[in-house]
Amino acid sequence: MKTKEIHISEYNYELPDERIAKFPMAERDHSKLLVYEKGQVSEDIFYNLPNHLPQGALMVYNNTKVIQARLHFRKDTGALIEIFLLEPAEPADYEQMFQQTERCSWLCLVGNQKKWKEGTLTREIDASNFKHQTSNVIVKATRRGEHGTSQWIDFEWSGGVSFAEILDVMGELPIPPYLNRETQESDKTTYQTVYSKIKGSVAAPTAGLHFTDRVLKDIDAHGIEREEVTLHVGAGTFKPVKSDTIGEHSMHTEYIAVRRHTLERLIAHEGKAIAVGTTSVRTLESLYYMGLKVMQNPDIKEEELHVNQWEPYEEESGKWKVQSSKALQALLDWMVRNELTVLHSSTQIIIAPGYEYHIVKMLITNFHQPQSTLLLLVSAFVKGDWHKIYDYALAHDFRFLSYGDSSLLIP
């Protein structure tokens, strides 16, 4: 059966609300760890993860940091409008965006939109919230119009403070909608990985939430190398598949940044890696296809490296089947020629049954929503054996979704 013809209803399972973890464990690394190895399922505690990993392997994780992407404004009428930042529009570069000190634009979702037909929303923030600020900061939001499924919103503010500071003071951390609760102060810490550092995500790469400094030191002590990539997780990660077949589902675009050094480490490991989370999977597997593009067109521009949703399944890429280390080497050589130390690109890749993994050999991930693209990714990784894993987790009291327990998958 062709991948596009897969019926999402085949990836459904009964998830009772009480199995969704509303809060994390008191100690991150005390969550349960399901180990699926070559068809056998067992369980352990997450802090023992290094004991299950091969010495000398390379582990890759996503160092993105969740931003306080929910902004609330009140109209003169008293109506509360929520603006949810999705991705930067002007400037489009994340780093530059957070350094802006007067104005910027984002693509956003707007809550209670019918109450905001026109005009500018204004919010005043007390000066005491900012360092070196004597007068209150006025933040204004204006709708420029629709942009695809989102709204283009222009922001302007006074006081010369950076947009990063504005978000830290006025923004709210966007915890997943299925937690059905308000964001709490504790989420500011617990909904970030201990290694998060590059701002830009609107959802955490949750497989990484179980790691502690203690576990990371133990991984190093076991002789396992670690590398970071950056993929800014978009709100589309929660987007349910609404169509009957996945061929009609349109994947969201996410932005990635990979250092030249990371490619060198991957090549040194023969293009094989242990991925922490589905975001690392999407980044690593996209690098393979970017390498193929460079092999086909050595003069390709950076913006043309974007990986389209169905690219891996097209006849053309099949003809170009090469070793993952060769594809990565081509990409590295291209970066050197173009004097790039960091590759900035984007991916829309959908990984579903029928997909052949090129780089990821082991996967650390949480338990995902029924009928989600993340469950499709897992199914593709374990060659359709996801039922065995999820049945075990449901029968053995594992906690599900973002704040839930973890699994190590070794096909």
Side-chain angles (χ1 to χ4, degrees), residues 171-231:
E172 186 183 288
L173 198 80
I175 58 171
Y178 47 63
L179 294 183
N180 284 328
R181 64 172 176 82
E182 296 288 309
T183 300
Q184 304 196 355
E185 192 61 30
S186 61
D187 291 309
K188 286 187 182 176
T189 309
T190 57
Y191 196 60
Q192 299 280 13
T193 60
V194 295
Y195 44 70
S196 67
K197 59 185 183 199
I198 311 287
K199 291 182 172 181
S201 278
V202 299
T206 54
L209 295 179
H210 308 275
F211 286 83
T212 55
D213 291 330
R214 172 175 60 183
V215 173
L216 293 172
K217 282 195 185 104
D218 199 12
I219 285 167
D220 297 341
H222 275 73
I224 295 155
E225 289 185 52
R226 293 190 280 128
E227 268 299 322
E228 308 177 358
V229 292
T230 307
L231 178 142

Short mmCIF file of all heavy atoms in Angstrom, two decimals, residues 171-231:
data_model
loop_
_atom_site.label_atom_id
_atom_site.label_comp_id
_atom_site.label_asym_id
_atom_site.label_seq_id
_atom_site.Cartn_x
_atom_site.Cartn_y
_atom_site.Cartn_z
N GLY A 171 4.51 37.68 27.96
CA GLY A 171 4.07 36.42 27.36
C GLY A 171 3.76 35.34 28.38
O GLY A 171 4.16 35.43 29.54
N GLU A 172 3.02 34.36 27.91
CA GLU A 172 2.70 33.20 28.77
C GLU A 172 3.19 31.95 28.04
O GLU A 172 3.06 31.83 26.82
CB GLU A 172 1.19 33.15 28.95
CG GLU A 172 0.72 32.10 29.93
CD GLU A 172 -0.82 32.08 30.01
OE1 GLU A 172 -1.41 33.02 30.57
OE2 GLU A 172 -1.42 31.12 29.48
N LEU A 173 3.77 31.02 28.79
CA LEU A 173 4.27 29.79 28.18
C LEU A 173 3.10 28.97 27.65
O LEU A 173 2.14 28.72 28.36
CB LEU A 173 5.04 28.99 29.24
CG LEU A 173 5.98 27.93 28.68
CD1 LEU A 173 7.28 28.57 28.21
CD2 LEU A 173 6.26 26.87 29.73
N PRO A 174 3.16 28.52 26.38
CA PRO A 174 2.03 27.78 25.81
C PRO A 174 2.13 26.27 26.06
O PRO A 174 2.74 25.55 25.30
CB PRO A 174 2.17 28.07 24.31
CG PRO A 174 3.63 28.27 24.10
CD PRO A 174 4.23 28.74 25.39
N ILE A 175 1.54 25.82 27.16
CA ILE A 175 1.55 24.37 27.39
C ILE A 175 0.53 23.72 26.45
O ILE A 175 -0.37 24.39 25.95
CB ILE A 175 1.26 24.02 28.88
CG1 ILE A 175 -0.08 24.59 29.33
CG2 ILE A 175 2.39 24.48 29.78
CD1 ILE A 175 -0.55 24.11 30.68
N PRO A 176 0.66 22.42 26.18
CA PRO A 176 -0.22 21.78 25.19
C PRO A 176 -1.70 21.89 25.54
O PRO A 176 -2.07 21.82 26.71
CB PRO A 176 0.21 20.31 25.23
CG PRO A 176 1.58 20.33 25.80
CD PRO A 176 1.64 21.49 26.73
N PRO A 177 -2.56 22.04 24.51
CA PRO A 177 -3.99 22.22 24.75
C PRO A 177 -4.64 21.03 25.46
O PRO A 177 -5.58 21.21 26.24
CB PRO A 177 -4.57 22.38 23.34
CG PRO A 177 -3.50 21.94 22.38
CD PRO A 177 -2.20 22.13 23.08
N TYR A 178 -4.10 19.81 25.24
CA TYR A 178 -4.75 18.63 25.84
C TYR A 178 -4.49 18.50 27.34
O TYR A 178 -5.02 17.59 27.98
CB TYR A 178 -4.36 17.34 25.11
CG TYR A 178 -2.88 17.18 24.84
CD1 TYR A 178 -1.96 17.09 25.87
CD2 TYR A 178 -2.40 17.11 23.53
CE1 TYR A 178 -0.61 16.95 25.61
CE2 TYR A 178 -1.05 16.97 23.26
CZ TYR A 178 -0.16 16.88 24.31
OH TYR A 178 1.17 16.74 24.05
N LEU A 179 -3.70 19.39 27.93
CA LEU A 179 -3.53 19.35 29.39
C LEU A 179 -4.75 19.95 30.09
O LEU A 179 -4.96 19.75 31.28
CB LEU A 179 -2.25 20.08 29.83
CG LEU A 179 -0.94 19.42 29.37
CD1 LEU A 179 0.26 20.19 29.91
CD2 LEU A 179 -0.86 17.97 29.78
N ASN A 180 -5.55 20.71 29.31
CA ASN A 180 -6.80 21.28 29.85
C ASN A 180 -6.62 22.00 31.17
O ASN A 180 -7.37 21.79 32.11
CB ASN A 180 -7.86 20.17 30.02
CG ASN A 180 -8.45 19.77 28.70
OD1 ASN A 180 -8.56 20.59 27.80
ND2 ASN A 180 -8.80 18.50 28.56
N ARG A 181 -5.59 22.81 31.25
CA ARG A 181 -5.39 23.59 32.48
C ARG A 181 -4.62 24.87 32.14
O ARG A 181 -4.04 24.99 31.06
CB ARG A 181 -4.63 22.78 33.54
CG ARG A 181 -3.20 22.40 33.15
CD ARG A 181 -2.48 21.76 34.33
NE ARG A 181 -1.14 21.28 34.04
CZ ARG A 181 -0.04 22.03 34.01
NH1 ARG A 181 -0.12 23.34 34.21
NH2 ARG A 181 1.15 21.49 33.75
N GLU A 182 -4.62 25.81 33.09
CA GLU A 182 -3.87 27.06 32.90
C GLU A 182 -2.37 26.78 33.07
O GLU A 182 -1.98 25.87 33.79
CB GLU A 182 -4.30 28.08 33.97
CG GLU A 182 -5.75 28.52 33.88
CD GLU A 182 -6.01 29.43 32.68
OE1 GLU A 182 -5.27 30.42 32.53
OE2 GLU A 182 -6.91 29.12 31.88
N THR A 183 -1.56 27.61 32.42
CA THR A 183 -0.11 27.53 32.63
C THR A 183 0.20 27.96 34.06
O THR A 183 -0.37 28.95 34.55
CB THR A 183 0.62 28.47 31.64
OG1 THR A 183 0.29 28.07 30.32
CG2 THR A 183 2.12 28.41 31.82
N GLN A 184 1.09 27.24 34.72
CA GLN A 184 1.49 27.59 36.08
C GLN A 184 2.94 28.03 36.09
O GLN A 184 3.70 27.71 35.18
CB GLN A 184 1.29 26.39 37.01
CG GLN A 184 -0.15 25.89 36.95
CD GLN A 184 -0.51 24.98 38.09
OE1 GLN A 184 0.31 24.62 38.92
NE2 GLN A 184 -1.77 24.60 38.14
N GLU A 185 3.32 28.73 37.13
CA GLU A 185 4.70 29.23 37.24
C GLU A 185 5.71 28.08 37.10
O GLU A 185 6.74 28.23 36.45
CB GLU A 185 4.87 29.94 38.61
CG GLU A 185 6.15 30.75 38.74
CD GLU A 185 6.29 31.89 37.73
OE1 GLU A 185 5.27 32.46 37.28
OE2 GLU A 185 7.45 32.19 37.37
N SER A 186 5.37 26.91 37.64
CA SER A 186 6.30 25.76 37.59
C SER A 186 6.56 25.30 36.16
O SER A 186 7.64 24.78 35.85
CB SER A 186 5.74 24.59 38.41
OG SER A 186 4.49 24.18 37.88
N ASP A 187 5.57 25.51 35.25
CA ASP A 187 5.75 25.09 33.86
C ASP A 187 6.92 25.80 33.19
O ASP A 187 7.53 25.27 32.27
CB ASP A 187 4.47 25.35 33.05
CG ASP A 187 3.32 24.43 33.45
OD1 ASP A 187 3.53 23.21 33.51
OD2 ASP A 187 2.23 24.95 33.73
N LYS A 188 7.23 27.01 33.66
CA LYS A 188 8.34 27.77 33.06
C LYS A 188 9.64 26.98 33.16
O LYS A 188 10.53 27.13 32.33
CB LYS A 188 8.51 29.13 33.75
CG LYS A 188 7.43 30.11 33.38
CD LYS A 188 7.74 31.47 33.97
CE LYS A 188 6.63 32.47 33.64
NZ LYS A 188 6.86 33.77 34.27
N THR A 189 9.75 26.16 34.18
CA THR A 189 10.95 25.32 34.34
C THR A 189 10.71 23.92 33.80
O THR A 189 11.51 23.41 33.01
CB THR A 189 11.30 25.20 35.85
OG1 THR A 189 11.33 26.51 36.39
CG2 THR A 189 12.64 24.52 36.04
N THR A 190 9.59 23.32 34.19
CA THR A 190 9.39 21.90 33.85
C THR A 190 9.09 21.67 32.38
O THR A 190 9.32 20.58 31.87
CB THR A 190 8.25 21.29 34.70
OG1 THR A 190 7.05 22.04 34.48
CG2 THR A 190 8.58 21.29 36.17
N TYR A 191 8.60 22.72 31.66
CA TYR A 191 8.28 22.55 30.24
C TYR A 191 9.45 23.02 29.35
O TYR A 191 9.28 23.34 28.20
CB TYR A 191 6.99 23.28 29.90
CG TYR A 191 6.36 22.86 28.57
CD1 TYR A 191 5.97 21.55 28.34
CD2 TYR A 191 6.14 23.79 27.55
CE1 TYR A 191 5.41 21.16 27.12
CE2 TYR A 191 5.57 23.41 26.33
CZ TYR A 191 5.22 22.10 26.13
OH TYR A 191 4.66 21.71 24.93
N GLN A 192 10.66 23.06 29.92
CA GLN A 192 11.88 23.30 29.14
C GLN A 192 12.83 22.15 29.42
O GLN A 192 12.88 21.64 30.54
CB GLN A 192 12.59 24.59 29.59
CG GLN A 192 11.79 25.87 29.44
CD GLN A 192 11.78 26.43 28.03
OE1 GLN A 192 12.16 25.77 27.07
NE2 GLN A 192 11.29 27.66 27.88
N THR A 193 13.58 21.73 28.41
CA THR A 193 14.62 20.72 28.66
C THR A 193 15.78 21.39 29.40
O THR A 193 15.94 22.62 29.30
CB THR A 193 15.16 20.14 27.33
OG1 THR A 193 15.72 21.21 26.56
CG2 THR A 193 14.05 19.47 26.53
N VAL A 194 16.57 20.61 30.12
CA VAL A 194 17.68 21.20 30.88
C VAL A 194 18.75 21.75 29.94
O VAL A 194 19.57 22.57 30.33
CB VAL A 194 18.32 20.20 31.88
CG1 VAL A 194 17.33 19.82 32.97
CG2 VAL A 194 18.88 18.97 31.19
N TYR A 195 18.73 21.31 28.67
CA TYR A 195 19.75 21.79 27.72
C TYR A 195 19.17 22.79 26.71
O TYR A 195 19.79 23.10 25.70
CB TYR A 195 20.41 20.62 26.99
CG TYR A 195 19.47 19.55 26.49
CD1 TYR A 195 18.60 19.79 25.43
CD2 TYR A 195 19.44 18.28 27.08
CE1 TYR A 195 17.73 18.81 24.99
CE2 TYR A 195 18.58 17.29 26.64
CZ TYR A 195 17.73 17.56 25.58
OH TYR A 195 16.88 16.59 25.13
N SER A 196 17.96 23.32 26.96
CA SER A 196 17.36 24.26 26.01
C SER A 196 18.14 25.57 26.02
O SER A 196 18.54 26.05 27.08
CB SER A 196 15.90 24.54 26.39
OG SER A 196 15.85 25.24 27.61
N LYS A 197 18.39 26.14 24.84
CA LYS A 197 19.10 27.41 24.80
C LYS A 197 18.78 28.32 23.62
O LYS A 197 18.96 29.51 23.70
CB LYS A 197 20.60 27.19 24.89
CG LYS A 197 21.22 26.34 23.81
CD LYS A 197 22.71 26.12 24.13
CE LYS A 197 23.37 25.33 23.04
NZ LYS A 197 24.63 24.73 23.49
N ILE A 198 18.27 27.77 22.51
CA ILE A 198 18.00 28.61 21.34
C ILE A 198 16.50 28.90 21.28
O ILE A 198 15.71 28.00 21.02
CB ILE A 198 18.47 27.94 20.03
CG1 ILE A 198 19.89 27.39 20.14
CG2 ILE A 198 18.31 28.90 18.85
CD1 ILE A 198 20.98 28.42 20.15
N LYS A 199 16.11 30.14 21.53
CA LYS A 199 14.67 30.48 21.61
C LYS A 199 13.98 30.36 20.27
O LYS A 199 14.53 30.76 19.25
CB LYS A 199 14.52 31.93 22.10
CG LYS A 199 14.90 32.15 23.54
CD LYS A 199 14.68 33.59 23.93
CE LYS A 199 14.89 33.74 25.45
NZ LYS A 199 14.67 35.11 25.88
N GLY A 200 12.74 29.84 20.28
CA GLY A 200 11.97 29.81 19.04
C GLY A 200 10.79 28.85 19.00
O GLY A 200 9.91 28.99 18.17
N SER A 201 10.74 27.86 19.90
CA SER A 201 9.66 26.87 19.84
C SER A 201 8.40 27.37 20.53
O SER A 201 8.47 28.14 21.50
CB SER A 201 10.09 25.57 20.51
OG SER A 201 10.85 24.80 19.61
N VAL A 202 7.24 26.87 20.07
CA VAL A 202 5.99 27.15 20.78
C VAL A 202 5.49 25.87 21.46
O VAL A 202 4.41 25.84 22.03
CB VAL A 202 4.91 27.76 19.86
CG1 VAL A 202 5.39 29.08 19.29
CG2 VAL A 202 4.51 26.81 18.74
N ALA A 203 6.30 24.82 21.40
CA ALA A 203 6.02 23.57 22.13
C ALA A 203 7.37 22.94 22.44
O ALA A 203 8.31 23.08 21.65
CB ALA A 203 5.17 22.63 21.28
N ALA A 204 7.45 22.24 23.56
CA ALA A 204 8.73 21.65 23.94
C ALA A 204 8.99 20.37 23.15
O ALA A 204 8.06 19.65 22.79
CB ALA A 204 8.72 21.32 25.43
N PRO A 205 10.27 20.07 22.88
CA PRO A 205 10.62 18.75 22.34
C PRO A 205 10.60 17.79 23.53
O PRO A 205 11.58 17.61 24.24
CB PRO A 205 12.04 18.96 21.78
CG PRO A 205 12.59 20.12 22.54
CD PRO A 205 11.45 20.92 23.09
N THR A 206 9.43 17.19 23.77
CA THR A 206 9.15 16.60 25.09
C THR A 206 9.95 15.35 25.44
O THR A 206 10.08 15.01 26.61
CB THR A 206 7.64 16.30 25.23
OG1 THR A 206 7.24 15.48 24.13
CG2 THR A 206 6.83 17.57 25.22
N ALA A 207 10.51 14.66 24.45
CA ALA A 207 11.34 13.49 24.78
C ALA A 207 12.53 13.91 25.64
O ALA A 207 13.05 13.13 26.43
CB ALA A 207 11.83 12.81 23.50
N GLY A 208 12.93 15.17 25.48
CA GLY A 208 14.09 15.67 26.23
C GLY A 208 13.78 16.08 27.65
O GLY A 208 14.69 16.34 28.44
N LEU A 209 12.49 16.14 28.02
CA LEU A 209 12.13 16.62 29.36
C LEU A 209 12.59 15.68 30.48
O LEU A 209 12.64 16.07 31.64
CB LEU A 209 10.61 16.84 29.46
CG LEU A 209 10.02 17.94 28.57
CD1 LEU A 209 8.51 18.04 28.77
CD2 LEU A 209 10.67 19.30 28.84
N HIS A 210 12.91 14.43 30.13
CA HIS A 210 13.30 13.45 31.15
C HIS A 210 14.77 13.58 31.55
O HIS A 210 15.19 13.04 32.57
CB HIS A 210 13.07 12.02 30.64
CG HIS A 210 11.69 11.81 30.11
ND1 HIS A 210 10.63 11.47 30.92
CD2 HIS A 210 11.17 11.91 28.86
CE1 HIS A 210 9.53 11.37 30.18
NE2 HIS A 210 9.84 11.63 28.93
N PHE A 211 15.56 14.25 30.73
CA PHE A 211 17.00 14.32 30.98
C PHE A 211 17.31 15.28 32.13
O PHE A 211 16.68 16.32 32.27
CB PHE A 211 17.74 14.78 29.72
CG PHE A 211 17.82 13.72 28.66
CD1 PHE A 211 16.77 13.53 27.78
CD2 PHE A 211 18.94 12.91 28.55
CE1 PHE A 211 16.83 12.55 26.80
CE2 PHE A 211 19.02 11.94 27.57
CZ PHE A 211 17.96 11.74 26.70
N THR A 212 18.29 14.89 32.93
CA THR A 212 18.81 15.75 33.99
C THR A 212 20.33 15.83 33.78
O THR A 212 20.90 15.05 33.01
CB THR A 212 18.56 15.13 35.38
OG1 THR A 212 19.13 13.81 35.38
CG2 THR A 212 17.08 15.05 35.71
N ASP A 213 20.97 16.75 34.48
CA ASP A 213 22.44 16.85 34.38
C ASP A 213 23.08 15.53 34.79
O ASP A 213 24.09 15.12 34.22
CB ASP A 213 22.95 18.01 35.25
CG ASP A 213 22.51 19.36 34.68
OD1 ASP A 213 22.37 19.44 33.44
OD2 ASP A 213 22.29 20.31 35.44
N ARG A 214 22.47 14.88 35.76
CA ARG A 214 22.99 13.59 36.24
C ARG A 214 22.98 12.54 35.12
O ARG A 214 23.97 11.83 34.91
CB ARG A 214 22.13 13.13 37.43
CG ARG A 214 22.41 11.71 37.93
CD ARG A 214 21.60 11.41 39.17
NE ARG A 214 20.14 11.51 38.96
CZ ARG A 214 19.26 11.33 39.94
NH1 ARG A 214 19.67 11.08 41.17
NH2 ARG A 214 17.97 11.40 39.69
N VAL A 215 21.87 12.45 34.38
CA VAL A 215 21.76 11.48 33.28
C VAL A 215 22.74 11.83 32.17
O VAL A 215 23.39 10.95 31.60
CB VAL A 215 20.31 11.40 32.74
CG1 VAL A 215 20.23 10.54 31.50
CG2 VAL A 215 19.37 10.84 33.81
N LEU A 216 22.87 13.13 31.87
CA LEU A 216 23.79 13.55 30.80
C LEU A 216 25.23 13.19 31.16
O LEU A 216 26.00 12.72 30.31
CB LEU A 216 23.66 15.06 30.55
CG LEU A 216 22.31 15.51 29.96
CD1 LEU A 216 22.21 17.03 29.94
CD2 LEU A 216 22.10 14.95 28.55
N LYS A 217 25.60 13.39 32.44
CA LYS A 217 26.97 13.02 32.88
C LYS A 217 27.17 11.51 32.75
O LYS A 217 28.24 11.04 32.37
CB LYS A 217 27.17 13.44 34.34
CG LYS A 217 27.44 14.92 34.53
CD LYS A 217 27.99 15.21 35.92
CE LYS A 217 28.14 16.71 36.14
NZ LYS A 217 27.08 17.28 36.99
N ASP A 218 26.12 10.75 33.08
CA ASP A 218 26.20 9.29 33.00
C ASP A 218 26.34 8.84 31.53
O ASP A 218 27.05 7.87 31.24
CB ASP A 218 24.94 8.68 33.64
CG ASP A 218 25.13 7.22 34.03
OD1 ASP A 218 26.29 6.75 34.01
OD2 ASP A 218 24.13 6.55 34.33
N ILE A 219 25.65 9.53 30.63
CA ILE A 219 25.77 9.22 29.20
C ILE A 219 27.21 9.43 28.75
O ILE A 219 27.80 8.60 28.06
CB ILE A 219 24.79 10.10 28.38
CG1 ILE A 219 23.35 9.58 28.55
CG2 ILE A 219 25.16 10.13 26.89
CD1 ILE A 219 22.28 10.52 28.05
N ASP A 220 27.80 10.55 29.18
CA ASP A 220 29.21 10.84 28.86
C ASP A 220 30.12 9.76 29.43
O ASP A 220 31.04 9.28 28.77
CB ASP A 220 29.62 12.21 29.41
CG ASP A 220 28.82 13.36 28.78
OD1 ASP A 220 28.23 13.14 27.70
OD2 ASP A 220 28.78 14.45 29.36
N ALA A 221 29.84 9.37 30.67
CA ALA A 221 30.67 8.35 31.35
C ALA A 221 30.59 7.00 30.63
O ALA A 221 31.53 6.21 30.70
CB ALA A 221 30.24 8.22 32.80
N HIS A 222 29.46 6.76 29.96
CA HIS A 222 29.30 5.50 29.20
C HIS A 222 29.96 5.56 27.82
O HIS A 222 29.81 4.64 27.01
CB HIS A 222 27.80 5.17 29.02
CG HIS A 222 27.23 4.42 30.18
ND1 HIS A 222 26.97 5.01 31.39
CD2 HIS A 222 26.86 3.11 30.33
CE1 HIS A 222 26.46 4.12 32.23
NE2 HIS A 222 26.38 2.95 31.61
N GLY A 223 30.63 6.68 27.54
CA GLY A 223 31.34 6.79 26.26
C GLY A 223 30.41 7.04 25.08
O GLY A 223 30.72 6.69 23.95
N ILE A 224 29.26 7.66 25.36
CA ILE A 224 28.32 7.99 24.28
C ILE A 224 28.49 9.48 23.97
O ILE A 224 28.45 10.31 24.88
CB ILE A 224 26.87 7.68 24.71
CG1 ILE A 224 26.72 6.17 24.92
CG2 ILE A 224 25.87 8.17 23.68
CD1 ILE A 224 25.63 5.79 25.87
N GLU A 225 28.72 9.79 22.71
CA GLU A 225 28.91 11.19 22.34
C GLU A 225 27.56 11.89 22.19
O GLU A 225 26.56 11.25 21.88
CB GLU A 225 29.68 11.28 21.01
CG GLU A 225 31.14 10.89 21.15
CD GLU A 225 31.89 11.13 19.84
OE1 GLU A 225 31.81 12.24 19.30
OE2 GLU A 225 32.53 10.17 19.38
N ARG A 226 27.58 13.22 22.40
CA ARG A 226 26.33 13.99 22.31
C ARG A 226 26.51 15.16 21.34
O ARG A 226 27.54 15.81 21.35
CB ARG A 226 25.94 14.55 23.68
CG ARG A 226 25.54 13.47 24.68
CD ARG A 226 24.93 14.09 25.93
NE ARG A 226 25.93 14.61 26.85
CZ ARG A 226 25.91 15.84 27.37
NH1 ARG A 226 24.97 16.70 27.02
NH2 ARG A 226 26.84 16.23 28.21
N GLU A 227 25.49 15.38 20.53
CA GLU A 227 25.48 16.52 19.60
C GLU A 227 24.11 17.18 19.64
O GLU A 227 23.11 16.52 19.89
CB GLU A 227 25.76 16.05 18.17
CG GLU A 227 27.22 16.09 17.76
CD GLU A 227 27.84 17.48 17.81
OE1 GLU A 227 27.18 18.48 17.45
OE2 GLU A 227 29.02 17.56 18.21
N GLU A 228 24.07 18.49 19.36
CA GLU A 228 22.81 19.24 19.37
C GLU A 228 22.43 19.67 17.96
O GLU A 228 23.30 20.00 17.16
CB GLU A 228 22.97 20.52 20.20
CG GLU A 228 23.51 20.31 21.58
CD GLU A 228 23.72 21.62 22.34
OE1 GLU A 228 23.46 22.70 21.75
OE2 GLU A 228 24.14 21.57 23.49
N VAL A 229 21.15 19.67 17.69
CA VAL A 229 20.60 20.34 16.51
C VAL A 229 19.51 21.27 17.02
O VAL A 229 19.12 21.18 18.18
CB VAL A 229 20.00 19.34 15.48
CG1 VAL A 229 21.09 18.49 14.84
CG2 VAL A 229 18.93 18.45 16.13
N THR A 230 19.03 22.16 16.17
CA THR A 230 17.92 23.03 16.56
C THR A 230 16.78 22.86 15.57
O THR A 230 16.98 23.04 14.37
CB THR A 230 18.36 24.52 16.57
OG1 THR A 230 19.53 24.65 17.37
CG2 THR A 230 17.25 25.40 17.13
N LEU A 231 15.63 22.47 16.07
CA LEU A 231 14.40 22.52 15.27
C LEU A 231 13.37 23.24 16.13
O LEU A 231 13.09 22.81 17.25
CB LEU A 231 13.87 21.14 14.88
CG LEU A 231 12.55 21.18 14.09
CD1 LEU A 231 12.51 20.13 12.99
CD2 LEU A 231 11.34 20.98 15.00
#
